[in-house]
Amino acid sequence: MYGIGRKNLQEADGNKEKGVLVLEYTYQEFIEDLNMGHEIEFLLDGGRYSISYNNTGWHVTKFGNEEYSTYGNVNELLENAKFNDNSLQEIWHKIKIDSIF
């Protein structure tokens, strides 16, 4: 995973594998990373998603699905991207960050 130097890492309680670290990554840090241009991959309800950027805007894509949603800026993405009618903030507790680029 990239860009975790400033993040708070701690050893997972109750993890069966000794020494496994878990990333404490807040919704506010997520917003900050997007505003810096970082791209994020995450897991949600058994699906894998990507938030990426190119010259046409920010894109939310579900892996294995050709369709994607495009947003003009980070605020538009945060306000309008929906997952089962819920915003990213509403489901943040269910999201598992996979990669930060």
Side-chain angles (χ1 to χ4, degrees):
M1 181 170 304
Y2 301 96
I4 62 172
R6 67 182 179 83
K7 308 295 186 227
N8 181 20
L9 294 174
Q10 67 177 9
E11 190 164 332
D13 292 332
N15 196 310
K16 294 179 183 178
E17 297 181 293
K18 186 177 180 181
V20 172
L21 297 176
V22 174
L23 179 64
E24 285 187 25
Y25 188 62
T26 67
Y27 183 72
Q28 185 59 42
E29 289 173 315
F30 167 71
I31 293 169
E32 290 170 11
D33 281 347
L34 290 178
N35 280 315
M36 288 188 293
H38 288 289
E39 299 181 350
I40 314 279
E41 292 180 0
F42 62 92
L43 306 172
L44 174 65
D45 296 333
R48 186 172 179 198
Y49 296 84
S50 171
I51 297 176
S52 59
Y53 179 80
N54 67 24
N55 61 353
T56 62
W58 286 92
H59 308 283
V60 177
T61 308
K62 183 175 182 179
F63 282 78
N65 188 343
E66 293 181 20
E67 296 179 21
Y68 57 90
S69 300
T70 300
Y71 305 94
N73 57 54
V74 171
N75 287 337
E76 186 181 323
L77 183 153
L78 295 172
E79 291 173 10
N80 297 309
K82 299 292 182 196
F83 300 83
N84 294 325
D85 294 324
N86 295 299
S87 70
L88 284 163
Q89 186 173 18
E90 292 171 322
I91 58 169
W92 184 251
H93 65 281
K94 295 173 67 176
I95 290 175
K96 303 288 186 231
I97 300 298
D98 186 46
S99 300
I100 302 170
F101 300 99

